[in-house]
Amino acid sequence: MIASPPHSAKSTSGNRTMVNDHILRMLETIAGQGNVSTQSTDLLTHAYDATRQKFLPDVVVHVENTEQVSRIVRLANTKKIPILPRGAGSGFTGGSLPVRGGIVLVLTRMNRILEIDTDNLITVVEPGVVTGRLQAEVEKLGLFYPPDPASKDFSTLGGNIAECAGGPRCVKYGVTRDYVLGLEVVLPSGDIIHTGGRTMKNVVGYDLTRLFVGSEGTLGVVTRIILRLLPRPESRKTMLVAFASIDGAARAVSTIIQGKIIPTTLEFMDASAIDCVRRTASLDLPAACRAVLIIEVDGEETALDRQVGNIGELIASLDVLATSIAATTAESEAIWQVRRSVSASLRSLNPDKFNEDIVVPRSKVPEMIHALEAIAARYGVAIVNFGHAGDGNIHVNVMVDLAEIGMRETVDQVLDEIFRATVHLGGSVSGEHGIGTAKAPFIAMELDPATLACMQTIKKALDPNNIMNPGKIFPESADEHRLSASRP
Amino acid sequence: MTVSSSLADLRHHIDQCVRCGACQAHCPVYLETCRESSVARGKIALAEAVLNGAVDLEDRLRQEAGLCLLCGSCAAKCPNQVPADALVAALRERITAARGLSSLGRGVALFTGSQRLLRGLLRSANLFSSLFFTKIPTQSGLRLRFSPAALKERVVPALARHTLFDRLPEFLPGDEDKPVLGVFAGCALTYLYPATGEAMVRLLNRLGYPVALPRSQGCCGMPALATGNQRLVGQLTAANTAAFKSNGTKTIITACATCHGMLADQPVIHGSPGGASVQDIHVFLVQAGLVDTLATLPAAPRRIRVTYHDPCHLRNRGITREPRALLQALPGVELIEMEGAGLCCGMGGTFTAAHPELSRAIGDRKLAGLQATRASVIASSCPGCVLQLQDIITRADLPVKVVHTLDLIDQAMSGEGPA
Ligand SMILES: Cc1cc2nc3c(=O)[nH]c(=O)nc-3n(C[C@H](O)[C@H](O)[C@H](O)COP(=O)(O)OP(=O)(O)OC[C@H]3O[C@@H](n4cnc5c(N)ncnc54)[C@H](O)[C@@H]3O)c2cc1C
Ligand code: SF4
Ligand code: SF4
């Protein structure tokens, strides 16, 4: 048993006795004894996600089918016990944290790819299927599932749908939402509903599919997913462009888009990100380089060289220092390695990281970068920016040492200013990581009261007892939503 | 793997973990169980809770700590270089220190000690008889790998009449201008597959190297480490150091991926055997130019389809090209890459003994990829993997032969046809 509350785990505000022996027996009857655990080892290992916050659940249940999910949710609803759908637990905003205790419903074992229909280009999967595994399987058949969050090798499709995950390829191909045709969902009542279907077109009734995509597990548990697939692009080409100024890079992004070219990816790194990588790896970049764009195009082999040439011409006048075009897969991989090593290299800068995921209209990227530089200078904090410039989605990393006196207050102000600047430019406080607990304090900055009230009305209608992932998205109690850093 | 005696010493590594979950993609146990407590991130959370006194060393915690192959795949792929395998080993050490050795651990401790016991036993015993387990020397990893539970229905090789040490002298002279190479054989190549061990020594000697095969060498210590017996690891390391110190070798060659993984990192803590550097034989042979030599061999009348399995303990150190380069250079071999070549075989030192069913489930994930190659031979560069692969293939009733990479090279160089 747990000897004392774990170190930094916050005690849950829920009432620990709400999951009593009787309820445990019922859970065991539904899911099987081996799948229900109140062992401290299981509670401790389902208390966190990638935010590094910790909240202990009361019980962990590994489910195997929709029927079990439905019966468990129905039971929880009757007893008013929180239900926490959980995939891989790789969320960046606390979506799967049991902030009020309750039942963690682990969906990782519902991981069958039920069907890949090559005639209709669709696939039917269970929510625990890992994104990268589905991609590998459909690619074997010449098909393509584009959404590619950096966590694709371990995050689940259920989690991707709940957060509407995006990734580098979304510039051209769109986000998770654009591939979901239909869902099976267990509602907070325990009822099982089916939204959308297997067809590309469907206008029967409300578009509930879109309502559930991005709902962060607060409206129901997704138990089956129908996804749209594309033919796999024949080939791709990667280039890395080094700029003498961040302005050049930012203008290059809007110039390429205005030039009516939509590359597959348009990733950018600012000077501080480059410096971080330089500190941990040798980088073959000119010393004067202040920003980098990684541009990838895909399609028919023959068209790619022309596209790359066009891009080169379009941006040539924009402070470009050097351009390298990968000739082989290995060279392309080396370019991507630079981008992927940014996150891990941040720790060389400062111990505490506040990782924000803002998005602005693409044309506003230069202005946003300037605003970020101004905020960094004004408060004397390091802000490292990189991310999906092609769709205006910037990963803003405020790197500080919280041990410094007054730093927490400074960070609060810095984040507040960042979000204000974002919203002011017509942007959004979260592009792909969701709201969860981490961004809840800022949601009202972006949504007007009537819109927020509309969302809460929907939540109340579907989940009157507030059992489905309570304490997420909507700011309910200040205590639950204290800002937290993660140590990179 | 980094070997340290104390979990507290490794606390900074626990703090290094950002809980991203990326290790889920690489952990063979997690991929089978889909349970967070199986994966490195979960183990790290448990190790942290133990250090903070937030959880007791209860049964369930000990079970979870046991569910790890110490394969190092998580550590090799972790974006923050968290050595989760070393943390698990340290957690087990803590459990052992508090609770004493498990019965498996006692078995290992009993058998990894005395060579005499082990040899005598192997001469007389039927591997399947329980006698084997009561008589094998205390310091051999074999005792651990073949506990009665693991042996149930397991396919094991017929025991060699003569151990590696019976077959070869302690020193084989070579060219005067070539340095003496030490050979660290390890338990499996000494007692179970001495023919492969002999092939290794012969190959090196044929290339002109004088070879030292000290009799007093023992187990690499991996089984001891896996059972949380760091004291025994220390003793074994000391014995191995003494064994290799006397003959002044600067390079020690291994042909067992696990021994290599265990010994190559030892300098960090204990100092490697005799202060020499430990090198995998495939890497050594490629550097010595054997690929070119093999290319000059006469063409074979027919080529057999061979596929290669990556042992975790080589793959995770980036040793994947060398064994393939050697196989590809063999005239009688057509090397076919299999999907999932890098998937773990499920052996994991003591893992297969402690969790036979899970171990088999992990290993069976290799079957689809293997069958798709239509290979008639699967080669690997670790006798532990060879043993496990044989079990997987026999149970699946596949017409595939399992060999050590060196067996194929040796056959080709001796002018014998492959397989
Ligand atoms: C290193 C790293 C890189 C990342 N990169 C990206 C990126 O590039 N783009 C991006 O968008 N995100 C990224 N993320 C964030 C994260 O991986 C995604 O949000 C992902 O979609 C979460 O999936 P998961 O399976 O881990 O879900 P979890 O973290 O387990 O859950 C996330 C949310 O989904 C809910 N949920 C899970 N399954 C279901 C279900 N079946 N039904 C209903 N609700 C459910 C949970 O309740 C929770 O609210 C990254 C994370 C990490 C650690
Ligand atoms: S061990 Fe490494 S890969 Fe696993 S969660 Fe921790 S930081 Fe991530
Ligand atoms: S060492 Fe291997 S089995 Fe153990 S946690 Fe890491 S990946 Fe999993």
Side-chain angles (χ1 to χ4, degrees), chain B residues 26-29 38-40 43 68-74 84-85:
Chain B
H26 311 289
C27 175
V29 182
S38 303
V39 78
K43 299 274 188 343
C68 171
L69 294 143
L70 299 183
C71 68
S73 297
C74 49
D85 49 351

Side-chain angles (χ1 to χ4, degrees), chain B residues 107 110-112 114 117-138 140-151 154 156-160 163 187-188 191-192 387:
Chain B
L110 184 75
F111 273 82
T112 11
S114 147
L117 258 170
L118 184 55
R119 205 170 335 141
L121 169 72
L122 287 172
R123 280 230 179 87
S124 57
N126 169 350
L127 188 57
F128 293 91
S129 93
S130 57
L131 256 186
F132 181 79
F133 303 103
T134 48
K135 285 200 193 155
I136 283 192
T138 0
S140 166
L142 280 179
R143 175 60 178 82
L144 178 65
R145 292 188 178 185
F146 305 114
S147 79
L151 258 184
R154 169 181 274 286
V156 284
L159 269 182
T163 75
C187 301
Y191 301 109
L192 278 183
L387 187 68

Side-chain angles (χ1 to χ4, degrees), chain A residues 186-210:
Chain A
V186 173
L187 295 181
S189 60
D191 290 346
I192 302 168
I193 64 161
H194 298 89
T195 76
R198 300 171 66 96
T199 52
M200 296 299 136
K201 297 176 170 184
N202 183 331
V203 292
V204 180
Y206 293 140
D207 189 349
L208 294 180
T209 309
R210 289 221 163 192

Side-chain angles (χ1 to χ4, degrees), chain A residues 42 48 52 88-89 108 487, chain B residues 17-18 34 36 41 58 60:
Chain A
D42 284 307
Y48 52 75
R52 292 186 89 180
T108 49
R487 297 211 157 204
Chain B
C17 167
V18 300
C34 301
E36 179 73 22
R41 178 171 68 166
E58 59 203 60
R60 187 63 168 255

Side-chain angles (χ1 to χ4, degrees), chain A residues 1-8 34 37 39-42 44-46 48-52 54 62 86-90 92 106 108-109 111 137 140 153-155 343-344 347 486-488, chain B residues 11-12 14-26 30-37 39 41-43 45-46 48-49 52-56 58 60-62 64 79-81 339:
Chain A
M1 281 313 292
I2 296 181
S4 61
H7 181 47
S8 56
S37 174
Q39 297 272 349
S40 48
T41 49
D42 284 307
L44 284 162
T45 52
H46 292 86
Y48 52 75
D49 67 0
T51 60
R52 292 186 89 180
K54 269 190 252 171
H62 284 83
R86 183 181 172 98
S90 73
F92 268 149
V106 188
T108 49
R109 286 199 196 150
N111 60 0
E137 290 303 319
K140 281 185 202 163
D153 288 337
F154 48 100
S155 68
S343 255
R347 61 182 288 121
S486 73
R487 297 211 157 204
Chain B
R11 172 154 229 147
H12 60 289
I14 292 178
D15 297 337
Q16 211 174 309
C17 167
V18 300
R19 306 283 193 270
C20 65
C23 36
Q24 287 175 357
H26 311 289
Y30 177 82
L31 291 174
E32 200 50 47
T33 65
C34 301
R35 285 172 39 123
E36 179 73 22
S37 47
V39 78
R41 178 171 68 166
K43 299 274 188 343
L46 293 178
E48 183 181 43
N52 293 336
V55 66
D56 294 334
E58 59 203 60
R60 187 63 168 255
L61 186 109
R62 286 182 288 163
E64 302 293 10
N80 291 306
Q81 291 92 39
E339 194 181 340

